Amino acid sequence: MERCLAFVMSGGGARGALQVGALRALLEAGYKPDLLVGTSIGAANAAGLAVWGVNMEGIAALERTYQAMAEGNVMDTPGRLVWHALSGRPSYTSQHMKDLLVDLGIGPELTFGHVKHVRMGLVSADMASGQPVIYGLVPTQSILEGVLASASVPPWFMPIENEDQLIVDGGALSLLPVEPALSMGATEIVALDLSGSPSMSISSHRLSQMNKAISAFVKRETNLEFALAEAKGVQVHYMQLLASPPINMWDFSTYQRLLATGYETASRYLSDWA
């Protein structure tokens, strides 16, 4: 079997900056992926690295993207979402994200077939069938559509209705998409997991309980995907990237701190692996 090293990136909103810092450390250490697989913000990171280059120039472009998201307040806060709902106006998060990606060169005409140096899979979830949907298996598919589909987490991004499909954020079925990477031929995986930190700063006891329930579901799902990798003889190098203190998934203002934390955390893992 031909060797295929995959970087697999979970969802996690603004915490995606941690992955960018980790990617910098991995590339500096000589890790060169053949395949990039991501869910939600991990899909955005995968697409950006694939389009802009699996090199330091690509990392720098990703870092500038987080700066743009911080300066542009690209995701509505829950308060603004409620205001939009009460006033009968839609949230503009989806349009803001689409406009930003287009401005950065990921326009609707850019297809997976245009990227020759690395393969990628952007993972979303079909609620009609209960199955993951991988954008990137068909060369003519739009990369922009794949990113937006993978990040379709209500109420910020509305589900995509496509014939008999109802497509939402890939985290609904595979937050850390190890199984999709295996299906695309990965023989070795570096997994960049953002799921250890809460997705929001929580003060309410009930919200805290809900977050723990979601975390338990995600942990079980991830363990099952890791078990599948082990059964297939595929080694998974795991990195847990934590934001401390926790940040809200829509708050990109701390991206610089997260970039540094991701880099430092990955460097420690790499030192242990050596």
Side-chain angles (χ1 to χ4, degrees):
M1 181 184 296
E2 185 177 352
R3 180 181 182 274
C4 177
L5 174 62
F7 286 179
V8 172
M9 291 168 273
S10 79
R15 289 172 292 156
L18 289 163
Q19 290 177 345
V20 178
L23 288 168
R24 176 178 284 278
L26 283 163
L27 294 185
E28 285 182 355
Y31 284 78
K32 183 76 171 179
D34 306 291
L35 174 64
L36 300 167
V37 181
T39 289
S40 199
I41 196 66
N45 286 339
L49 193 64
V51 171
W52 298 320
V54 186
N55 49 42
M56 291 306 153
E57 289 76 14
I59 295 294
L62 275 173
E63 291 169 349
R64 291 193 295 271
T65 300
Y66 278 82
Q67 179 181 358
M69 288 191 285
E71 293 173 350
N73 295 317
V74 71
M75 287 186 72
D76 284 337
T77 65
R80 288 173 64 187
L81 287 171
V82 171
W83 183 85
H84 284 309
L86 292 176
S87 63
R89 298 180 180 181
S91 169
Y92 294 112
T93 295
S94 183
Q95 190 61 49
H96 288 167
M97 182 65 75
K98 182 177 181 180
D99 291 344
L100 174 63
L101 291 169
V102 171
D103 288 345
L104 292 169
I106 303 180
E109 74 287 343
L110 186 66
T111 69
F112 289 87
H114 287 117
V115 178
K116 306 295 185 184
H117 55 280
V118 67
R119 292 190 298 129
M120 63 175 146
L122 311 182
V123 181
S124 57
D126 178 15
M127 292 292 93
S129 67
Q131 295 296 320
V133 176
I134 304 175
Y135 284 80
L137 301 179
V138 179
T140 56
Q141 285 180 313
S142 163
I143 294 174
L144 176 63
E145 181 182 339
V147 173
L148 295 176
S150 185
S152 293
V153 52
W156 287 275
F157 301 86
M158 297 313 295
I160 297 173
E161 295 186 50
N162 181 20
E163 296 180 354
D164 58 346
Q165 293 180 314
L166 183 64
I167 297 175
V168 299
D169 185 291
L173 295 176
S174 186
L175 185 65
L176 183 62
V178 168
E179 182 180 8
L182 294 172
S183 73
M184 295 185 71
T187 60
E188 184 178 0
I189 291 172
V190 176
L192 306 181
D193 187 10
L194 304 173
S195 67
S197 299
S199 59
M200 61 185 73
S201 302
I202 296 173
S203 56
S204 163
H205 178 62
R206 286 191 176 183
L207 283 176
S208 178
Q209 288 181 323
M210 181 179 71
N211 189 76
K212 288 178 180 177
I214 293 171
S215 296
F217 169 79
V218 168
K219 184 177 294 186
R220 175 168 172 75
E221 173 190 90
T222 300
N223 287 340
L224 289 171
E225 295 197 39
F226 278 23
L228 179 62
E230 184 178 6
K232 290 179 174 290
V234 174
Q235 184 176 13
V236 178
H237 307 280
Y238 177 74
M239 290 187 182
Q240 185 176 47
L241 304 173
L242 300 175
S244 181
I247 65 165
N248 294 318
M249 64 175 291
W250 56 85
D251 181 10
F252 286 83
S253 64
T254 62
Y255 78 96
Q256 290 179 310
R257 173 172 63 84
L258 296 184
L259 290 171
T261 300
Y263 181 85
E264 292 163 3
T265 302
S267 296
R268 289 195 295 270
Y269 275 107
L270 289 165
S271 178
D272 291 339
W273 296 348

